[in-house]
Amino acid sequence: MGYEGLDFDAIEGVSPSFVEALYSRYRDDPDGIDAGWRTYFDGLEQAVSGPSWGRANWPLSDTDALTAGLDPTQAALAAKAERKAPAPAAAEAPSAAVIAKAAEDSIRAQMLIRTYRVRGHLAADLDPLGLSKRDLPADLTPEFHGFFGKDLDRPIYVGGTLGFETATIRELIAVLRRNYCGHVGIEFMHIGDIEERRFLQERMEGHDKAISFTPEGKKAILTKVIHAEQWEKFLGRKYVGTKRFGLDGGESMIPALESVIKYGGQYGVREVVIGMAHRGRLNVLANVMSKPYRAIFSEFAGGSANPEDVGGSGDVKYHLGTSTDREFDGNVIHLSLAPNPSHLEAVDPVVLGKARAKQTKLGDLKREKVLPILLHGDAAFAGQGIIMECFGFSGLAGYNTGGTIHFVINNQVGFTTSPQFARSSPYPSDIAKMVQAPILHVNGDDPEAVTFACKVATEFRQTFKRDVVIDMWCYRRFGHNEGDEPGFTQPLMYDEIRRHPPISTIYANRLKAEGVVDENGVADMVETFVKMLDEEFDAAKGFRVNKADWFEGDWSGFAAPREAVTDRRAVESGVSRERLDRVAKVLTTPPADLVIHKTLARILDAKKQMFESGQGFDWATAEALAFGTLLLDGFGVRLSGQDSGRGTFSQRHAVWVDQKDGHKYIPLSNLDRRFQVLDSPLSEFGVLGFEYGYASQAPGTLVLWEAQFGDFANGAQVMIDQFIAAGEAKWLRVNGLVMLLPHGYEGQGPEHSSARMERYLQLCAEDNMQVCNITTPANYFHVLRRQMMRNFRKPLIIMTPKSLLRHKAAVSSIEDFTGDSHFRRILSDPKQPADDRVKRLVLCSGKVYYDLADARDAAGDEETAILRIEQVYPFPAEPLARRIARMTNLETLVWAQEEPKNNGSWFFVECYLEECLAKAGVGPRRPVYAGRRASAATATGLARNHAAQQAALVAEALGHDVKAN
């Protein structure tokens, strides 16, 4: 727009003398100055002297030259000759001083225009209630730019900007106010990419630009607004005082969402994944997702959203999701609304992960077929850190979804907190500037403006594959929920809201004035919809859900977990030696052109020795074998974490980096391109949510998230509590995500010792997930393979090792991976005494086993057996009871753990151990605890104290003295 090649961002403050001098050079040799200035002076001369003088039409474009019957090359030469030729005698060139003054006016006019592009949104009419005092900023006035009195009506050269060659300041401001200060205000000049800015500018700016819809389009928008409004009113009448978190005051969102889906379909979208909070959810479910009205009425009456035989806790109506197919203009779009908890914005990364998995399945490398949409509240968008984490994904190779459309329902208030106490920025949407996302602010009382903004946003996303934000200013007619009294804290706002007409009334009156609808037509729209709701309400009395929707689509062929868990816990997950050798080859053979690190070369040599000898397989090699053999079985593998490529402890080396040029080589990708190992952003909450969402959509992929240290996983506690542990019970959403949490007491202090296994165990019930603390590489291999080979999915939480990664005793042999081998929930130690000689049985889980076994053997103790509980939940009570029953001379049963008494497994396993002793019928009635005493911190930070505590707990477990190391 404007003068091609001339950067008006860089010429603010250009002096008239500079322009005079440059113009003199232009007169002497037009081709001797910058092309942008040359084009500018061509146009300026024409504007000042009229068409008899100007060179503004030269040079002609190739198209224009051909249209005029000229050869483009000849036209260019003619243009150059014409520039150098003296001016025709009949026309006199303007003086340098005249040009300089005209240029100064022109540049100041351009700076005025640019200021409106940057700051026009500050004067936009956005607040439906009119309570937001938005005075015209001084720099949007003509006086600020040096235009006074008669200057306002003097023609000034603007070179095509706003569609004008010349225009008065008064004309420019009228257009600029209409473009940038109406019911849509846009922030886009913070975007670095000039093509993106130009794209948005072209859709917003110009004397002929106006929000325009056909009469049919206007009627469609009005219909959806009426449906949204009458739905809320109907629920309010039928269920007085019941919380529904209605959309009252923000009904324009419904036609807006429909427009995103409609226009998205025109631009190639085939699936839309939506995440949102409570407000307006029932409206979206009914009027966008086409969930049967009778089903929602049934839920209001206390009916279940699922068949009675499914079980689970269920959830409140405004947390539930659904999926459906909608058709717009012949394009069938699959819509899915993700279920979510009350924790605001927690669903956002889940939606992004689901979208990424769908794109992967569809081979949608351009990321144009699957569109994520996130609906936010204004206070949450500004206040929740997960928003920043999700924006951080937008440009990352392993997490990019091709842009998200963010729709902020700007209530202009939180629960009871006003904006000035809720954020430090002018808008809730300012966080989006971190990724240079365009932001369209829009008045929610104007459904056409909201729909227009969504159209622009959808086209932008599909064109540039980048995030975009729509900030719809509206209000909550009934406060935070329908039982709330908002007047306690916002009396002035709610005085105005009580007087404020509904959106349907405002918009219907506007369309009546335009002759698009009449009073009878509007009444018919309302009557028809309400009549249908009455019929659905009556039908809800006999409504029953026929089936649950959890094993359809990508999940076809999987079983209900509670039916499958009891009879298929043990799965043969061993593989043939041939398969292991095939994986071994890619794990130990670097390409000839790859310069690997010298230490990595030694590691690869050691791996070769493992495969040649069949002995000494360590943890990292077992993991790589599990990944590789699963790839050969046809599964995908996706591993992400903050240092997952190399591994936090330099153990994994799934990615080899050339030491000369830095290019990366991923060995396992030679088996299948579906192997992904990603070094994630430094985030727990967002990344874990993303991977949970990915796993929910990809049951054929082993999806793993690895914490840098297990201690840090509590940064994602919301995701663990609300989704991983309870998602199946609440929403019938099955998931097979694996969490790898480095855990173990090696004297590294309170933040590098405990993955807080007790927290996961406290969440365990109803076979909802698996918690393991594994001690051998082979068992780790088998638990990963078991995760994919069963016909059901459960989250798997693994306490992974640190010191055991290189422990000489923590190794496996080739036979442990082959044949009919499988994951073992209980492991005996190799030197265990005969059952009838056992007087003391020590049970433990994880790394402490090796300390116990070493101390027992050093003491020559032949009456103590040590069993490792490798899977703490579901607890292997039956096989453990059978083993105890064989120990007929048992006197003492000890549970030993490294963690403090109030942490770890003790409080979880104690009741199980009592039940096992009772069932076995031998030995003591109660187990004994051996471990660190209860502590507020998870571990000591002093090495000497750690060693003393470790020796003491081992001694207590074994019943004899142990020296501290």
Side-chain angles (χ1 to χ4, degrees):
M1 303 295 287
Y3 319 108
E4 294 297 329
L6 196 55
D7 182 5
F8 280 93
D9 290 357
I11 64 172
E12 184 174 9
V14 168
S15 68
S17 59
F18 169 79
V19 176
E20 279 191 66
L22 195 61
Y23 179 64
S24 295
R25 287 174 53 195
Y26 163 82
R27 291 302 314 281
D28 294 337
D29 182 11
D31 294 320
I33 67 171
D34 178 82
W37 279 107
R38 183 174 67 237
T39 303
Y40 174 61
F41 284 132
D42 285 345
L44 197 60
E45 284 185 341
Q46 184 177 23
V48 172
S49 300
S52 60
W53 165 258
R55 301 180 172 96
N57 293 327
W58 295 98
L60 295 177
S61 69
D62 290 358
T63 302
D64 291 341
L66 291 170
T67 302
L70 299 174
D71 176 83
T73 304
Q74 292 176 337
L77 293 172
K80 188 173 183 179
E82 192 275 343
R83 283 200 184 98
K84 293 184 177 180
E92 204 165 312
S95 68
V98 169
I99 284 292
K101 180 62 173 71
E104 182 184 1
D105 289 345
S106 176
I107 290 171
R108 285 190 286 115
Q110 287 289 343
M111 296 314 300
L112 170 67
I113 294 168
R114 184 182 184 279
T115 304
Y116 267 87
R117 291 169 181 161
V118 175
R119 289 167 53 78
H121 60 90
L122 295 174
D125 179 12
L126 300 176
D127 184 3
L129 303 176
L131 297 176
S132 178
K133 304 301 182 185
R134 293 164 62 87
D135 297 329
L136 183 70
D139 55 357
L140 296 182
T141 64
E143 293 80 11
F144 183 89
H145 296 273
F147 298 108
F148 303 89
K150 294 181 180 179
D151 290 342
L152 302 181
D153 296 304
R154 177 164 45 83
I156 294 174
Y157 180 62
V158 291
T161 309
L162 304 179
F164 297 107
E165 285 299 317
T166 60
T168 67
I169 294 300
R170 199 180 302 279
E171 288 173 330
L172 291 179
I173 288 181
V175 172
L176 290 167
R177 292 298 301 271
R178 187 168 70 244
N179 292 163
Y180 292 115
C181 305
H183 283 170
V184 178
I186 184 171
E187 293 185 85
F188 70 105
M189 292 297 282
H190 58 279
I191 299 174
D193 188 286
I194 191 171
E195 291 302 320
E196 293 179 11
R197 291 204 311 270
R198 180 173 292 141
F199 174 94
L200 294 164
Q201 194 171 304
E202 287 174 350
R203 279 147 186 80
M204 296 295 300
E205 188 176 281
H207 67 81
D208 58 344
K209 293 293 169 60
I211 297 173
S212 177
F213 289 90
T214 64
E216 291 74 18
K218 293 172 185 281
K219 289 178 184 177
I221 292 172
L222 177 61
T223 299
K224 295 308 293 187
V225 169
I226 287 173
H227 288 183
E229 183 179 300
Q230 292 302 321
W231 168 247
E232 300 293 356
K233 288 184 176 181
F234 192 90
L235 292 177
R237 290 195 302 271
K238 296 295 186 181
Y239 307 102
V240 178
T242 301
K243 285 194 296 187
R244 54 185 164 84
F245 294 95
L247 190 57
D248 314 75
E251 291 91 347
S252 293
M253 185 184 78
I254 298 303
L257 277 181
E258 292 242 321
S259 73
V260 172
I261 301 165
K262 172 186 172 71
Y263 293 123
Q266 295 175 2
Y267 289 105
V269 173
R270 293 297 172 261
E271 292 200 44
V272 174
V273 188
I274 304 172
M276 68 179 298
H278 304 57
R279 187 176 184 212
R281 190 181 193 90
L282 296 178
N283 218 311
V284 170
L285 283 167
N287 292 316
V288 177
M289 303 297 297
S290 299
K291 182 174 180 176
Y293 296 103
R294 63 186 65 183
I296 299 175
F297 292 141
S298 173
E299 292 164 15
F300 266 99
S304 173
N306 300 309
E308 294 179 358
D309 62 341
V310 168
S313 66
D315 203 350
V316 292
K317 300 172 289 296
Y318 39 80
H319 286 177
L320 302 178
T322 192
S323 61
T324 190
D325 289 329
R326 295 283 308 275
E327 183 174 342
F328 293 87
D329 301 328
N331 298 312
V332 177
I333 315 293
H334 181 72
L335 310 178
S336 61
L337 174 63
N340 65 274
S342 291
H343 295 66
L344 295 174
E345 309 297 340
V347 76
D348 298 355
V350 177
V351 167
L352 299 183
K354 285 171 64 73
R356 174 77 181 206
K358 285 176 174 285
Q359 290 168 347
T360 300
K361 179 187 176 185
L362 294 174
D364 183 16
L365 299 180
K366 294 182 178 179
R367 316 216 177 275
E368 62 186 8
K369 296 178 182 178
V370 182
L371 169 65
I373 301 174
L374 294 176
L375 309 178
H376 314 270
D378 51 325
F381 197 67
Q384 294 295 315
I386 192 64
I387 299 295
M388 184 280 291
E389 295 186 34
C390 288
F391 275 123
F393 293 144
S394 64
L396 302 181
Y399 306 89
N400 173 31
T401 57
T404 300
I405 293 180
H406 300 267
F407 191 101
V408 180
I409 307 171
N410 189 343
N411 304 305
Q412 306 186 70
V413 65
F415 184 171
T416 66
T417 306
S418 299
Q420 65 266 33
F421 304 114
R423 62 176 186 267
S424 300
S425 58
Y427 298 111
S429 53
D430 287 322
I431 184 68
K433 292 178 182 177
M434 67 174 279
V435 294
Q436 299 185 24
I439 302 165
L440 293 104
H441 307 283
V442 59
N443 190 317
D445 262 6
D446 185 347
E448 287 187 24
V450 181
T451 302
F452 166 79
C454 286
K455 180 180 185 299
V456 172
T458 304
E459 189 181 359
F460 179 89
R461 188 274 177 187
Q462 288 299 98
T463 302
F464 297 104
K465 307 301 186 295
R466 297 231 297 111
D467 283 48
V468 58
V469 177
I470 300 149
D471 172 28
M472 184 184 79
W473 290 46
C474 55
Y475 55 91
R476 293 184 320 217
R477 188 166 289 277
F478 299 113
H480 178 66
N481 61 59
E482 291 68 31
D484 185 39
E485 174 44 71
F488 288 144
T489 52
Q490 277 83 29
L492 300 181
M493 173 182 279
Y494 277 86
D495 280 346
E496 179 59 35
I497 288 173
R498 280 187 284 271
R499 294 191 296 268
H500 195 74
I503 296 171
S504 65
T505 300
I506 295 171
Y507 189 49
N509 289 340
R510 174 176 159 187
L511 296 191
K512 291 174 192 174
E514 295 175 6
V516 175
V517 297
D518 57 25
E519 188 65 42
N520 291 334
V522 175
D524 286 345
M525 289 181 185
V526 174
E527 183 181 349
T528 301
F529 185 67
V530 173
K531 181 180 178 182
M532 182 273 293
L533 291 180
D534 278 323
E535 293 171 353
E536 288 289 296
F537 183 80
D538 291 338
K541 297 171 184 176
F543 179 78
R544 294 290 182 275
V545 180
N546 293 324
K547 65 174 183 176
D549 64 349
W550 54 345
F551 294 121
E552 299 176 349
D554 292 330
W555 287 90
S556 296
F558 288 86
R562 71 166 190 269
E563 297 170 3
V565 124
T566 53
D567 61 0
R568 292 210 63 195
R569 286 192 198 277
V571 174
E572 289 188 4
S573 48
V575 297
S576 67
R577 179 64 188 263
E578 179 186 4
R579 287 213 154 194
L580 292 180
D581 288 342
R582 185 175 170 188
V583 178
K585 185 174 181 180
V586 301
L587 291 178
T588 59
T589 310
D593 61 347
L594 185 75
V595 181
I596 62 173
H597 193 281
K598 59 182 181 181
T599 301
L600 178 58
R602 290 198 295 270
I603 292 172
L604 298 186
D605 287 341
K607 287 187 190 298
K608 289 179 182 177
Q609 288 297 316
M610 294 177 200
F611 287 103
E612 289 174 2
S613 66
Q615 301 297 321
F617 285 86
D618 59 18
W619 193 272
T621 305
E623 178 187 77
L625 289 173
F627 292 164
T629 53
L630 285 172
L631 292 170
L632 293 178
D633 290 338
F635 297 105
V637 176
R638 176 185 168 94
L639 167 65
S640 77
Q642 288 153 19
D643 301 280
S644 290
R646 190 201 73 181
T648 298
F649 312 102
S650 295
Q651 84 280 9
R652 179 171 291 119
H653 297 292
V655 180
W656 300 345
V657 180
D658 188 282
Q659 299 299 297
K660 294 293 186 182
D661 61 20
H663 81 270
K664 295 181 178 180
Y665 174 77
I666 302 175
L668 287 174
S669 65
N670 287 284
L671 296 175
D672 194 308
R673 302 300 296 179
R674 289 179 298 169
F675 178 73
Q676 301 176 69
V677 57
L678 305 165
D679 288 342
S680 75
L682 193 60
S683 153
E684 285 81 37
F685 190 5
V687 176
L688 182 59
F690 190 100
E691 301 306 337
Y692 173 86
Y694 195 104
S696 72
Q697 204 62 49
T701 298
L702 177 67
V703 182
L704 311 99
W705 175 75
E706 181 176 55
Q708 191 177 61
F709 283 84
D711 311 60
F712 306 154
N714 56 12
Q717 198 66 47
V718 170
M719 204 57 62
I720 296 163
D721 293 346
Q722 311 306 322
F723 289 89
I724 293 172
E728 180 185 319
K730 293 190 294 187
W731 310 313
L732 298 187
R733 288 298 173 260
V734 187
N735 200 289
L737 177 69
V738 179
M739 293 177 62
L740 305 179
L741 308 177
H743 173 83
Y745 281 59
E746 287 98 355
Q748 296 188 54
E751 270 71 63
H752 294 85
S753 297
S754 177
R756 294 189 176 274
M757 182 161 59
E758 67 279 356
R759 293 189 176 173
Y760 300 93
L761 294 174
Q762 184 185 38
L763 296 169
C764 289
E766 302 178 300
D767 276 333
N768 62 329
M769 58 185 182
Q770 308 150 99
V771 179
C772 296
N773 195 5
I774 298 170
T775 58
T776 72
N779 229 17
Y780 179 50
F781 167 89
H782 288 297
V783 81
L784 293 179
R785 286 186 52 79
R786 182 186 75 166
Q787 185 71 358
M788 300 306 293
M789 296 181 69
R790 297 182 298 193
N791 69 335
F792 64 91
R793 296 286 182 264
K794 295 283 182 180
L796 171 60
I797 318 299
I798 305 178
M799 306 293 120
T800 55
K802 294 177 289 184
S803 61
L804 290 192
L805 292 170
R806 297 175 177 86
H807 196 290
K808 291 183 179 180
V811 294
S812 301
S813 65
I814 195 74
E815 290 78 18
D816 297 326
F817 302 98
T818 58
D820 61 356
S821 57
H822 59 272
F823 175 69
R824 299 183 183 277
R825 293 175 288 163
I826 303 174
L827 283 179
S828 303
D829 68 290
K831 298 181 180 180
Q832 180 171 316
D835 289 338
D836 59 358
R837 295 189 62 188
V838 174
K839 293 184 178 180
R840 189 180 192 91
L841 173 60
V842 179
L843 301 176
C844 64
S845 186
K847 162 189 163 291
V848 72
Y849 159 75
Y850 292 96
D851 293 341
L852 292 167
D854 288 346
R856 181 201 58 186
D857 296 345
D861 183 344
E862 297 181 355
E863 295 181 340
T864 298
I866 305 173
L867 292 181
R868 286 165 274 178
I869 307 300
E870 300 278 287
Q871 178 175 290
V872 185
Y873 187 82
F875 191 79
E878 292 183 11
L880 179 59
R882 289 196 298 269
R883 290 197 183 205
I884 294 173
R886 297 198 297 265
M887 301 175 183
T888 53
N889 293 311
L890 183 66
E891 298 175 356
T892 305
L893 186 146
V894 178
W895 177 264
Q897 65 178 40
E898 296 183 305
E899 302 87 355
K901 190 174 184 179
N902 56 321
N903 298 158
S905 305
W906 167 243
F907 285 137
F908 180 80
V909 302
E910 184 182 10
C911 62
Y912 284 110
L913 298 182
E914 285 190 19
E915 292 173 5
C916 289
L917 286 170
K919 190 171 184 178
V922 299
R925 296 181 61 186
R926 286 185 51 78
V928 175
Y929 169 78
R932 287 175 169 85
R933 66 182 182 181
S935 171
T938 55
T940 178
L942 304 176
R944 181 179 298 175
N945 288 354
H946 164 77
Q949 291 173 0
Q950 195 76 3
L953 74 89
V954 171
E956 185 179 10
L958 298 176
H960 48 71
D961 291 339
V962 175
K963 291 183 179 180
N965 293 325

